Amino acid sequence: MRHRVGIRGEFLLALALIDLVQCYRLSFPTAETLASTTTQFLAIVLPLPVWGAIWGVGGVLCLVQAFMASDRFAFAAASTLKVGWALTHVAAWVWGVPQAWWSVAIWLVFARVVHVIAKVPERPELVIPSTPTGGVP
């Protein structure tokens, strides 16, 4: 775990925050959240705490792998989770939940951004060798 957090790690930390906030929102919904037709549809598909646990697992994976040299599982899970969330909203839209199409667009674009960042290699650190006298070689 000595790997420094680079650009990819920073992005995974942002994803971890989003996923963990979503976990909390679904695990402990407010009255306003429960009144939403989208939330009501989601609760029919799976209990809200199960949705919360799914988002929580994704968030923890992103958090842990942000500090690791190998982070492909976090990126794969993050992208898959966002595509799955978008597809769930497609179902909500088909079943008549108004405005669910907007969530579909947002989450699919977000999944694409995750996929694109996942393909960006981490920039190697520049190491300047030193000579025994401390001067430039």
Side-chain angles (χ1 to χ4, degrees), residues 18-88:
I18 291 167
D19 292 1
L20 293 171
V21 167
Q22 185 78 315
C23 166
Y24 182 82
R25 187 180 81 83
L26 293 166
S27 298
F28 307 101
T30 63
E32 293 83 11
T33 301
L34 290 172
S36 160
T37 54
T38 303
T39 303
Q40 292 169 11
F41 175 82
L42 293 170
I44 291 169
V45 176
L46 284 174
L48 293 180
V50 173
W51 284 119
I54 292 168
W55 281 93
V57 168
V60 168
L61 183 59
C62 288
L63 180 64
V64 168
Q65 288 207 331
F67 298 96
M68 298 174 69
S70 177
D71 56 14
R72 65 180 172 190
F73 293 117
F75 275 102
S79 183
T80 301
L81 179 58
K82 278 116 187 106
V83 169
W85 196 243
L87 293 175
T88 303

Side-chain angles (χ1 to χ4, degrees), residues 2-24:
R2 292 175 21 135
H3 175 69
R4 280 192 181 164
V5 176
I7 297 295
R8 293 169 60 90
E10 287 181 25
F11 190 72
L12 285 174
L13 289 174
L15 291 174
L17 177 63
I18 291 167
D19 292 1
L20 293 171
V21 167
Q22 185 78 315
C23 166
Y24 182 82

Side-chain angles (χ1 to χ4, degrees), residues 79-132:
S79 183
T80 301
L81 179 58
K82 278 116 187 106
V83 169
W85 196 243
L87 293 175
T88 303
H89 283 78
V90 167
W93 186 29
V94 168
W95 267 272
V97 175
Q99 301 299 317
W101 63 270
W102 181 241
S103 291
V104 173
I106 290 170
W107 288 105
L108 283 178
V109 168
F110 196 15
R112 180 64 182 152
V113 169
V114 172
H115 182 73
V116 168
I117 297 294
K119 294 189 293 184
V120 174
E122 195 64 65
R123 190 176 76 191
E125 284 189 43
L126 177 62
V127 178
I128 301 173
S130 63
T131 62

